[in-house]
Amino acid sequence: MSKQPARSGFSGLIAAIAAVVVVAGGGTAWWIWHSTKSPTSPTTPNTVQQSPSPSVQPKVEQTAQVFWLKDTGSNQELVSEAIAATADRQPSTMLKAAFNSLLAGPQKGEVTTTIPARTKLRNVKVEPDGVRVNLSEEFTTGGGSAATIGRVAQVIYTATSLDPKAKVWIEVEGKPLEVLGGEGLELEQPLTRRSFEENFTL
């Protein structure tokens, strides 16, 4: 009896086992290769991840102002004039420059001042509770009620040019100014732009 068929069957079994080994080996190799890769998606070559640039806020430059008076025919009105910026941007320094300009008098003919010419600035200081302005004794001399109201307005508005809502204390030779002028203009301190507008008319 010939044994050829048995051998052929045996050979087929060997071939089937070999095929299973190849498939399993290939699957194992594929699993090992993928397990070594990063869990994240591959980054596209030459792609640079950049964080968004922070927005740049423009700087607001504060400039102190001097307030003059202008005759409108029926009354006076306040006219502001910006002063040149100082190297030191501290509020007290900027207001000091403003008051020095104010006390020097206007350079333009269409505006005027009712602050006596010899008035000197003793000190101006910006504090947490407001602005304190110390002037020389000349500030209290001369002028009627209109002139004294005008000079008070000039001081208040110049002192608050960096902060319109700030409170102002006016001193003369270091003492609080309570009454100004021969007609006795009473000043209830601290003064503000709002309180001035409520109690006085230029």
Side-chain angles (χ1 to χ4, degrees), residues 9-64:
F10 180 74
S11 298
L13 179 61
I14 295 296
I17 293 173
V20 171
V21 171
V22 170
V23 172
T28 302
W30 179 87
W31 181 83
I32 293 173
W33 182 79
H34 274 278
S35 66
T36 59
K37 300 294 288 182
S38 172
T40 58
S41 301
T43 303
T44 304
N46 300 325
T47 299
V48 179
Q49 299 291 333
Q50 295 182 346
S51 58
S53 300
S55 59
V56 178
Q57 298 294 331
K59 293 183 178 180
V60 179
E61 292 292 341
Q62 285 185 310
T63 303

Side-chain angles (χ1 to χ4, degrees), residues 99-177:
F99 271 98
N100 284 333
S101 179
L102 177 67
L103 298 181
Q107 302 299 314
K108 300 177 182 179
E110 62 267 23
V111 294
T112 186
T113 180
T114 59
I115 298 176
R118 296 184 301 278
T119 303
K120 298 178 180 61
L121 178 67
R122 297 302 189 203
N123 192 24
V124 58
K125 190 173 183 181
V126 178
E127 298 183 341
D129 59 347
V131 182
R132 298 183 183 275
V133 183
N134 187 12
L135 301 168
S136 67
E137 188 175 358
E138 286 80 2
F139 182 73
T140 62
T141 61
S145 61
T148 53
I149 291 173
R151 74 184 68 170
V152 169
Q154 288 182 263
V155 171
I156 293 173
Y157 278 76
T158 299
T160 57
S161 60
L162 296 177
D163 180 6
K165 295 183 179 180
K167 297 177 181 179
V168 181
W169 282 265
I170 301 177
E171 299 175 350
V172 172
E173 302 296 353
K175 297 179 180 180
L177 180 61

